[in-house]
């Protein structure tokens, strides 16, 4: 009886031991695995303006330190978690037409249990080769400078009070002690120039701005006759105020076509005066077209694109204006209006938010990035309130520049105002004119 009891106890112990051994085998610790990468491994045509690689895993991950992650053999420093299960790696400025390989060494990426990925992770991608654009020496220097700062800092800007001056920039300087890096001008009064009150042939104000290392931007509220037959001495640019028909761009014998070509040649003459002084220009015509409130957008996408391409060819080829950096303005959901990569150098958006006017505009920014496949730098070409720089760089809507409209949008506290301007102009991420290099 005693032997049977001892045998029973021994059997129970063996059973418990075997059960314990089985439990240990069932608790198997697996390392995380990579689900996807953006840019993806092997991807080509990646924008040279890509500023980060995002790796998505099947679970949250941490890194062994030092991590020794490299891009083409050079160590990268900006590595941080993204949203759930993501690892974000900040990139240096990329070159166009170049193959890059990101290497994460073995046993660096760990899961919540501490189990590490035993194999090395390699992501190879190639940046796109952009269409060839022949720029003047100064325009090319400006484009190179933009590429260097894009995603890292933003250029401050103001808009001329109506036309051909630096009044708003002077006001900002009075309030803050600093000039904005960019001043926007406008050919809105070309139909009257030259006159005793406006002469676009007198480039002194623009030259002074450029000679002080300021960036020159010019838009064109293109005034045309309200009626090509009965009201040719009164002018307008709003669709509601003119019967001018942009669709006549396809009829070279029409009065509208001839007038458009004539005006383009007149403006080209003024731009040639700036070219002769080696002044590059951020050139932004036909803006907000898909909103259709301007006559150049009133007949839809195709006539407007035809006019843009005619203007581009006329100015760059016929008139040889290689000092122009072409800025196409998007309204967001207007991919059909885009004239094409070869006809635009920078993409702008005009935003006049009515509430929380200094909030991040990341949704609109990402919309533009998607529309142009992140192939172009993106600017806040007009705005009401200037987005708060801290929010811009936290959320990621790192506009190349911002430019509030003149008057109340610059000066009133409702939109910006003196105190807000002072805070913005003293932010380390905002470039002011005194911080601009010479691009001459």
């Amino acid at each position: 009886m005693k032997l049977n009891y001892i045998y029973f106890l021994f059997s129970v112990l063996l059973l418990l031991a075997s059960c314990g051994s089985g439990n240990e085998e069932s608790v198997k610790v697996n390392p995380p695995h990579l689900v996807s990468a953006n840019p993806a491994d092997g991807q080509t045509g990646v924008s040279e303006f890509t500023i980060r690689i995002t790796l998505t895993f099947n679970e949250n991950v941490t890194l062994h330190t030092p991590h020794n992650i490299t891009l083409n053999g050079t160590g990268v420093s900006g590595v941080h978690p993204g949203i759930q299960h993501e690892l974000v790696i900040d990139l240096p400025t990329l070159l166009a037409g170049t193959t890059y390989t990101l290497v994460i060494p073995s046993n660096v990426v760990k899961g919540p249990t501490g189990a590490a990925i035993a194999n090395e992770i390699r992501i190879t991608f190639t940046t796109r080769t952009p269409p060839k654009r022949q720029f003047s020496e100064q325009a090319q220097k400006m484009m190179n400078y933009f590429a260097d700062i894009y995603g890292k800092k933003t250029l401050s800007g103001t808009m001329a009070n109506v036309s051909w001056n630096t009044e708003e920039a002077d006001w900002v300087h009075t309030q803050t002690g600093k000039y904005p890096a960019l001043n926007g001008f406008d050919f809105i009064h070309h139909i009257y120039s030259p006159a005793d009150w406006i002469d676009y042939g007198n480039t002194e104000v623009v030259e002074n701005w450029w000679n002080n290392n300021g960036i020159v931007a010019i838009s064109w509220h293109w005034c045309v006759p309200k009626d090509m037959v009965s009201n040719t001495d009164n002018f307008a640019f709003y669709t509601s105020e003119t019967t001018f028909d942009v669709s006549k761009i396809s009829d070279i014998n029409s009065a509208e076509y001839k007038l458009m070509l004539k005006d383009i040649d007149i403006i080209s003459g003024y731009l040639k005066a700036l070219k002769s002084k080696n002044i590059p220009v951020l050139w932004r015509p036909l803006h907000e077209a898909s909103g259709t409130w301007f006559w150049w957008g009133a007949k839809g996408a195709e006539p407007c694109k035809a006019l843009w391409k005619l203007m581009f060819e006329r100015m760059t080829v016929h008139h040889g204006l290689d000092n122009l950096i072409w800025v196409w303005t998007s309204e967001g959901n207007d991919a059909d209006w885009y004239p094409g990569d070869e006809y635009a150098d920078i993409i702008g958006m005009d935003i006049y938010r009515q509430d929380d006017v200094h909030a991040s505009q990341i949704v609109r920014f990402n919309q533009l990035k998607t529309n142009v496949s992140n192939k172009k730098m993106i600017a806040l070409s007009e705005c009401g309130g200037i987005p708060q720089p801290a929010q811009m760089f936290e959320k990621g809507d790192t506009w190349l520049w911002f430019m509030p409209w003149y008057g109340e949008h610059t000066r009133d506290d409702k939109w910006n105002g003196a105190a807000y301007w002072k805070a913005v102009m003293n932010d380390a991420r905002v470039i002011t004119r005194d911080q601009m290099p010479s691009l001459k």
Side-chain angles (χ1 to χ4, degrees):
M1 186 74 178
K2 187 174 182 180
L3 287 174
N4 287 341
Y5 178 70
I6 292 172
Y7 178 77
F8 171 74
L9 288 176
F10 182 70
S11 299
V12 169
L13 290 173
L14 284 176
L15 179 63
L16 291 173
S18 66
C19 289
S21 175
N23 285 339
E24 287 173 7
E25 289 179 1
S26 66
V27 181
K28 193 171 183 179
V29 179
N30 292 316
H33 66 264
L34 181 64
V35 175
S36 63
N38 184 21
D41 185 38
Q43 185 174 339
T44 60
V46 174
S47 169
E48 68 270 34
F49 304 121
T50 300
I51 61 174
R52 59 179 61 94
I53 293 179
T54 301
L55 305 178
T56 303
F57 296 86
N58 66 318
E59 57 187 350
N60 288 333
V61 296
T62 56
L63 295 179
H64 173 78
T65 54
H67 54 68
N68 297 323
I69 299 174
T70 61
L71 183 73
N72 282 11
T74 300
V76 297
S77 56
V79 183
H80 47 89
I83 59 176
Q84 190 177 21
H85 301 172
E86 286 184 351
L87 186 67
V88 177
I89 301 172
D90 294 333
L91 299 175
T93 300
L94 302 180
L95 301 175
T98 304
T99 297
Y100 291 92
T101 300
L102 178 84
V103 177
I104 302 178
S106 59
N107 297 310
V108 165
V109 179
K110 301 181 293 182
T113 64
I117 298 177
N119 297 325
E120 178 183 83
I121 297 174
R122 298 176 72 90
I123 305 294
T124 297
F125 62 91
T126 302
T127 53
R128 73 186 184 112
T129 301
K132 289 290 185 182
R133 282 280 281 116
Q134 295 297 320
F135 290 115
S136 68
E137 179 184 352
Q138 291 74 25
Q140 186 62 64
K141 286 181 179 179
M142 185 169 288
M143 287 295 289
N144 293 344
Y145 174 67
F146 288 164
D148 286 343
I149 66 168
Y150 187 56
K152 303 167 189 171
K153 293 194 174 185
T154 185
L155 294 154
S156 54
T158 49
M159 180 65 196
N161 187 346
V162 180
S163 183
W164 209 235
N165 57 71
T166 58
E167 290 180 10
E168 302 304 271
D170 294 336
W171 181 86
V172 169
H173 178 260
T174 298
Q175 309 307 316
T176 69
K178 296 182 179 183
Y179 279 104
L182 175 151
N183 195 75
F185 300 89
D186 199 324
F187 285 129
I188 189 171
H189 296 310
H190 85 281
I191 50 177
Y192 307 111
S193 176
D196 56 355
W197 59 275
I198 182 69
D199 182 1
Y200 292 117
N202 182 350
T203 61
E204 182 179 2
V205 64
V206 182
E207 289 179 62
N208 288 341
W209 187 259
W210 168 247
N211 288 335
N212 283 285
N213 292 342
I215 297 171
V216 175
I218 303 180
S219 54
W220 184 11
H221 282 80
W222 190 345
C223 290
V224 292
K226 289 189 174 183
D227 189 303
M228 287 295 290
V229 177
S230 61
N231 201 356
T232 56
D233 293 328
N234 290 297
F235 302 91
F237 48 79
Y238 283 122
T239 299
S240 61
E241 297 176 3
T242 178
T243 59
F244 193 86
D245 187 355
V246 65
S247 68
K248 295 295 181 68
I249 192 68
S250 60
D251 180 2
I252 63 173
N253 295 312
S254 67
E256 288 86 350
Y257 178 92
K258 293 175 182 178
L259 181 113
M260 285 186 276
L261 196 64
K262 175 185 174 183
D263 280 356
I264 290 170
D265 287 345
I266 289 171
I267 297 301
S268 295
Y270 294 134
L271 292 169
K272 279 184 180 179
L274 299 179
K275 173 180 166 61
S276 71
K277 305 289 174 53
N278 296 320
I279 300 176
V281 173
L282 292 174
W283 175 230
R284 194 173 72 101
L286 308 184
H287 65 293
E288 301 174 10
S290 65
T292 69
W293 42 79
F294 296 128
W295 64 261
W296 49 87
K299 299 293 184 177
E302 294 309 315
C304 188
K305 284 194 292 187
L307 176 56
W308 180 282
K309 292 178 180 180
L310 171 69
M311 184 187 297
F312 184 94
E313 296 292 341
R314 189 75 176 175
M315 287 186 165
T316 59
V317 179
H318 180 79
H319 290 291
L321 290 167
D322 57 2
N323 61 320
L324 304 184
I325 295 170
W326 289 71
V327 183
W328 181 74
T329 311
S330 172
E331 288 296 296
N333 295 319
D334 52 6
D336 291 344
W337 295 71
Y338 184 47
D341 289 347
E342 65 271 37
Y343 295 100
D345 303 309
I346 293 172
I347 306 302
M349 178 174 270
D350 298 351
I351 301 176
Y352 290 86
R353 184 169 176 153
Q354 297 300 312
D355 62 330
D356 199 5
V357 298
H358 302 308
S360 161
Q361 299 289 351
I362 184 62
V363 174
R364 307 291 299 279
F365 185 87
N366 284 341
Q367 189 178 34
L368 290 195
K369 282 177 64 176
T370 300
N371 287 354
V372 295
S373 303
N374 198 24
K375 294 178 181 178
K376 304 289 182 179
M377 292 179 279
I378 299 170
L380 189 55
S381 43
E382 287 182 28
C383 64
I386 301 166
Q388 187 183 55
Q391 285 198 35
M392 288 169 54
F393 284 87
E394 176 187 350
K395 302 292 184 182
D397 52 324
T398 50
W399 308 94
L400 179 57
W401 73 79
F402 58 79
M403 190 193 76
W405 203 241
Y406 64 81
E408 66 170 349
H409 292 101
T410 294
R411 304 189 184 206
D412 288 4
D413 291 341
K414 172 187 174 182
W415 296 101
N416 294 297
Y420 187 69
W421 267 108
K422 191 168 185 178
V424 167
M425 297 292 269
N426 282 287
D427 191 291
R429 293 155 292 201
V430 175
I431 298 173
T432 53
R433 197 178 73 176
D434 59 292
Q435 298 169 322
M436 283 290 299
S438 173
L439 301 174
K440 298 175 180 58

